[in-house]
Amino acid sequence: MYIYYICSSHTALGRLKHPNIKWICPTAPHRPVTSLGGEVTTAWCDMTKASENMLDDYENLNDVNEYITRIFSSEPQNVMKGLGGVGLGAAQALYYTSCYAFGWVPISPQIVIGINGWLPGWRRLEYNMCNTNFGTANRAATSRILLLHGTSDDVIPSSFGYKCADSLRIAGFPTLFKQCGGDHVMNEIRVWLGNVGL
């Protein structure tokens, strides 16, 4: 069985060799990023300074959701599909996953790996999960999530990562959050993939 990942980082997850994974590593479009003083760089969406009150760029997040859905739709239906990324890529992967739970995107990412990321709209997740149609929690339970956070990440504080992970768990997503750095990241991913049966 193959798992197809949309991965935002050619240098991290895409290097992980696994016999049952086909990596798809698209490059994000160029856009100005507010947190970088408006510098134009590859980014899935705009990002303000990371904080609990940060503004989320839903317009571009939703555009990328459509892009991910098109890629998933072009792959065989009988394989598991997953998402992974680092930083903004992790944010996009988690956002797509939460949108699937709400029924806003049609394809379930069954395996999700996020490194040094966060969930856009995390504060609204628990409220929305408790005030939406039946079946949302069941869809959330189909996505297994691994979140890893570096011990010295100065862009996304690990405390913010913990809060996002807690929101995902409360909403019904099977989520493991671990703080680690350096060479330990790839080892944690390998162990976790083995624990979920890959």
Side-chain angles (χ1 to χ4, degrees):
M1 181 183 301
Y2 279 85
I3 298 180
Y4 295 79
Y5 278 84
I6 309 301
C7 175
S8 65
S9 174
H10 296 277
T11 60
L13 295 179
R15 287 188 321 202
L16 180 65
K17 303 298 182 195
H18 193 287
N20 296 326
I21 295 177
K22 170 188 173 182
W23 295 102
I24 301 172
C25 301
T27 300
H30 284 82
R31 69 175 82 251
V33 177
T34 302
S35 64
L36 300 176
E39 178 184 336
V40 175
T41 186
T42 54
W44 294 112
C45 62
D46 190 17
M47 177 184 167
T48 59
K49 180 175 171 55
S51 74
E52 293 182 26
N53 299 313
M54 68 190 294
L55 298 175
D56 294 306
D57 180 9
Y58 291 113
E59 180 178 355
N60 285 312
L61 287 165
N62 289 325
D63 285 347
V64 177
N65 275 359
E66 292 179 11
Y67 173 67
I68 292 169
T69 298
R70 286 196 300 274
I71 292 177
F72 278 168
S73 297
S74 69
E75 298 295 335
Q77 291 185 2
N78 63 339
V79 296
M80 293 175 66
K81 295 174 175 68
L83 290 169
V86 179
L88 282 172
Q92 183 69 58
L94 293 170
Y95 181 70
Y96 186 95
T97 304
S98 67
C99 287
Y100 173 75
F102 293 125
W104 299 340
V105 296
I107 299 173
S108 169
Q110 294 157 290
I111 302 291
V112 182
I113 299 172
I115 301 170
N116 292 353
W118 75 98
L119 171 63
W122 68 279
R123 288 170 297 177
R124 299 181 304 172
L125 181 64
E126 184 179 353
Y127 172 82
N128 286 339
M129 293 296 280
C130 294
N131 293 278
T132 191
N133 295 329
F134 177 77
T136 304
N138 292 339
R139 287 191 295 272
T142 65
S143 299
R144 291 173 286 185
I145 301 173
L146 172 65
L147 300 179
L148 300 173
H149 215 95
T151 53
S152 60
D153 188 330
D154 58 357
V155 178
I156 307 297
S158 60
S159 59
F160 191 20
Y162 273 112
K163 288 184 181 190
C164 293
D166 286 343
S167 293
L168 287 161
R169 285 190 203 100
I170 290 168
F173 293 93
T175 303
L176 175 63
F177 182 93
K178 294 190 103 174
Q179 195 166 4
C180 63
D183 296 337
H184 298 291
V185 170
M186 290 302 145
N187 187 56
E188 291 287 353
I189 293 172
R190 286 187 188 94
V191 170
W192 184 77
L193 288 172
N195 289 340
V196 298
L198 297 176

